[in-house]
Amino acid sequence: MEGGLFNPRTVEEVFGDFKGRRNGLIKALTTEVEDFYRQCHPEKENLCLYGLPSEQWEVNLPAEEVPPELPEPALGINFARDSMQEKDWLSLVAVHSDAWLLAVAFYFGSRFGFDKADRKRLFNMINELPTVFEVVTGAAKKQQKEKSSVSNHSSNKSKSNSKPGLESQEKYPKSQPEYEEEEVFDEESSTSRPPPPSPISQRRQGDSPGPSPRPPGPFPPRVTPEVVDLEDDSIPPIASIIEDFERCHLVPSIVGKYRGDVEFDEGMKALELLTLKTLSVARGLSLQGMDESHKMAGLVEAVGLRDKKLSDAEVARAQVLKERDDARLELRKAQDEIGIAKDEAKELKLELEQLKRDMESKIEGARVSAIEDFEKSEEMDRLKGEYTSGSYLRALKEA
């Protein structure tokens, strides 16, 4: 199906032929895609997309000779045009075009006896170019961007290696107390401050119940507290409450926030006030959590409705596609019936013409036979006699 067939014989010539055909296919699937889409009408016969060495392309029927002189591209690309998304259809054609390009290139390599080194060099030269699929889908540009970002990252890394002091500072930052992740916001100002050490831990170590500060140091590791009912009447021992409070990562924040309101010298009264403050904060957190859960439930419901609409739309689309396919089948069936009716009409016309010719020949034979019988009959002799006598009398009168 290609005019002026060019037979490359060297690796460079085969690669040039590959690039020309590849550029033609890329034109068909990108810049000239409207013309390509128009030529691939599903009602036509089995069509193929050919890339030419002259960087042109054509949509044509496959070669008639079997086997063909060159490997043939995918057959019948036009049939799936209207049953798929345009982007998916073009991607499918691009994948088959890549396979065809490699088949043609290595067909030439086998035909002209490329050895292992030549085939490897040809493959490496081809592999340096993006595939038609990568160009059509935009993956080639994405890979180019990723390569540029990787090169920039490597250059920045090489620059950072010239500053070992700065890298060591960034790699090993100063350790900070764990409680700094939980910033405590004052009710009267928006500034944040780190909470002081918990006085409850001071009492457990046997210190005096005064407000003397505790030496700085990291807090115990955070342990997620169990969810308990703070309004339960069954109060555990005070030592267990203190231990649970010390393990709760919210306690240092609460103590730092309300230490001005609570006098720690008053012993149990201070613990009761602290418990009330903790209870109020826990209730506020639970209300906030309920509000967030309601919002999340609303979002989940909205997502569910959207998914249901999408599902309904997909079902409707599938129904429309099915109706369209059924209509096409009915149209083709009607066209077949019309063709059959036309053939039957032609046959009846031929039969009528044959009957007409037979009838004319029979009529002519009957006429000839009737004339012959009449000439041989007595009536014919009588008429001849009358005609003869009449002619004789008429001659006498004239004489």
Side-chain angles (χ1 to χ4, degrees), residues 134-204:
E134 290 174 344
V135 174
V136 172
T137 58
K141 294 182 179 179
K142 184 178 180 181
Q143 292 177 2
Q144 187 66 26
K145 290 180 181 179
E146 290 177 353
K147 288 182 181 178
S148 61
S149 63
V150 169
S151 60
N152 293 335
H153 177 70
S154 60
S155 61
N156 294 334
K157 186 176 181 181
S158 61
K159 291 180 181 179
S160 63
N161 289 335
S162 61
K163 300 178 181 180
L166 180 59
E167 181 184 4
S168 61
Q169 291 177 5
E170 294 177 353
K171 188 174 181 180
Y172 303 102
K174 294 181 179 180
S175 60
Q176 297 179 357
E178 203 173 27
Y179 61 82
E180 288 186 359
E181 297 179 1
E182 300 289 339
E183 295 184 348
V184 182
F185 292 89
D186 196 354
E187 295 178 353
E188 298 179 355
S189 63
S190 60
T191 60
S192 61
R193 62 180 178 221
S198 172
I200 301 177
S201 60
Q202 293 181 359
R203 294 184 183 180
R204 293 201 60 191

Side-chain angles (χ1 to χ4, degrees), residues 202-257:
Q202 293 181 359
R203 294 184 183 180
R204 293 201 60 191
Q205 295 174 3
D207 296 340
S208 60
S212 60
R214 180 183 177 182
F219 285 100
R222 294 181 182 177
V223 179
T224 304
E226 298 181 355
V227 180
V228 297
D229 187 3
L230 296 177
E231 296 181 345
D232 192 358
D233 294 331
S234 59
I235 301 175
I238 192 66
S240 176
I241 295 177
I242 295 173
E243 184 179 358
D244 292 339
F245 281 170
E246 185 180 7
R247 292 168 57 191
C248 180
H249 68 277
L250 289 176
V251 170
S253 302
I254 298 170
V255 172
K257 188 174 182 180

Side-chain angles (χ1 to χ4, degrees), residues 35-56:
D35 189 17
F36 170 66
Y37 190 87
R38 180 181 54 80
Q39 293 188 31
C40 294
H41 198 279
E43 299 297 332
K44 295 183 180 180
E45 298 183 14
N46 297 321
L47 296 178
C48 301
L49 173 61
Y50 293 89
L52 306 181
S54 59
E55 299 188 358
Q56 300 299 321

Side-chain angles (χ1 to χ4, degrees), residues 5-61:
L5 188 64
F6 170 66
N7 289 329
R9 296 180 179 272
T10 65
V11 174
E12 287 73 15
E13 290 178 349
V14 172
F15 181 63
D17 179 86
F18 175 87
K19 286 200 301 183
R21 296 177 188 274
R22 171 182 171 274
N23 293 337
L25 294 174
I26 290 175
K27 278 185 183 179
L29 299 176
T30 56
T31 56
E32 301 176 5
V33 67
E34 294 182 359
D35 189 17
F36 170 66
Y37 190 87
R38 180 181 54 80
Q39 293 188 31
C40 294
H41 198 279
E43 299 297 332
K44 295 183 180 180
E45 298 183 14
N46 297 321
L47 296 178
C48 301
L49 173 61
Y50 293 89
L52 306 181
S54 59
E55 299 188 358
Q56 300 299 321
W57 60 275
E58 67 174 357
V59 175
N60 211 333
L61 296 173

Side-chain angles (χ1 to χ4, degrees), residues 314-330:
E314 288 294 333
V315 172
R317 177 177 175 274
Q319 183 66 26
V320 171
L321 292 177
K322 183 178 181 301
E323 292 177 356
R324 186 195 66 180
D325 295 338
D326 294 341
R328 285 183 175 178
L329 291 176
E330 291 179 359

